């Protein structure tokens, strides 16, 4: 039962991470372009770097948490085991999203200041 539960945990968690990364990347590019003064190259580069970091942190967390929890012995134990582990992954994904949004907003404001300063200097 443990092997099946761990296999399901990995499959569901990794699929969830890939799906969330895709959704955030696809929808976040608009936000990044606005934050970076409509600089498409900078926005796309930052978006890609955020996705890579998102994968590294979340996949690392998923792999590290494989060892935690009591091995399930029944179907009910397996459901509890999976819900606990996947629930933690979902919370981590949400926390990463809010951390990234906060960092982007702060960094975007700083880049916006730099762009405005450059425009004033060149005018």
């Amino acid at each position: 039962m443990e092997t099946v539960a761990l296999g399901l945990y990995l499959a569901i968690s990794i699929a969830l991470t890939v799906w969330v990364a895709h959704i955030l990347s696809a929808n976040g590019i608009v936000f990044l372009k606005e934050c970076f003064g409509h600089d498409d190259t900078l926005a796309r580069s930052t978006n890609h770097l955020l996705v890579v970091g998102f994968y590294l942190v979340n996949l690392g967390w998923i792999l590290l948490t494989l060892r935690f929890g009591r091995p399930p012995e029944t179907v009910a134990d397996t459901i509890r085991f999976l819900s606990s582990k996947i629930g933690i992954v979902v919370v981590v994904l949400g926390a990463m999203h809010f951390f990234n949004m906060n960092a982007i907003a702060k960094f975007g404001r700083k880049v916006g200041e730099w762009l405005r300063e450059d425009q004033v200097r060149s005018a």
Side-chain angles (χ1 to χ4, degrees), residues 20 37 66 90 115 119:
V20 169
L66 276 173
V90 170
L115 291 172
Q119 289 171 350

Side-chain angles (χ1 to χ4, degrees), residues 64-122:
L64 283 172
T65 59
L66 276 173
R67 65 189 324 247
F68 300 118
R70 200 178 80 212
E73 296 175 7
T74 66
V75 172
D77 285 346
T78 301
I79 292 169
R80 281 190 284 276
F81 177 85
L82 287 172
S83 67
S84 296
K85 284 191 162 298
I86 294 169
I88 290 170
V89 168
V90 170
V91 169
V92 170
L93 287 170
M96 283 292 297
H97 171 63
F98 284 112
F99 172 80
N100 284 342
M101 292 300 292
N102 184 44
I104 291 167
K106 287 180 181 178
F107 186 65
R109 282 192 294 271
K110 190 65 176 170
V111 169
E113 289 173 19
W114 294 338
L115 291 172
R116 284 188 292 281
E117 288 173 6
D118 285 347
Q119 289 171 350
V120 168
R121 282 188 207 128
S122 64

Side-chain angles (χ1 to χ4, degrees), residues 31-42:
F31 179 76
L32 289 171
K33 283 181 185 178
E34 186 65 32
C35 282
F36 298 136
H38 302 282
D39 184 333
D40 189 59
T41 303
L42 181 59

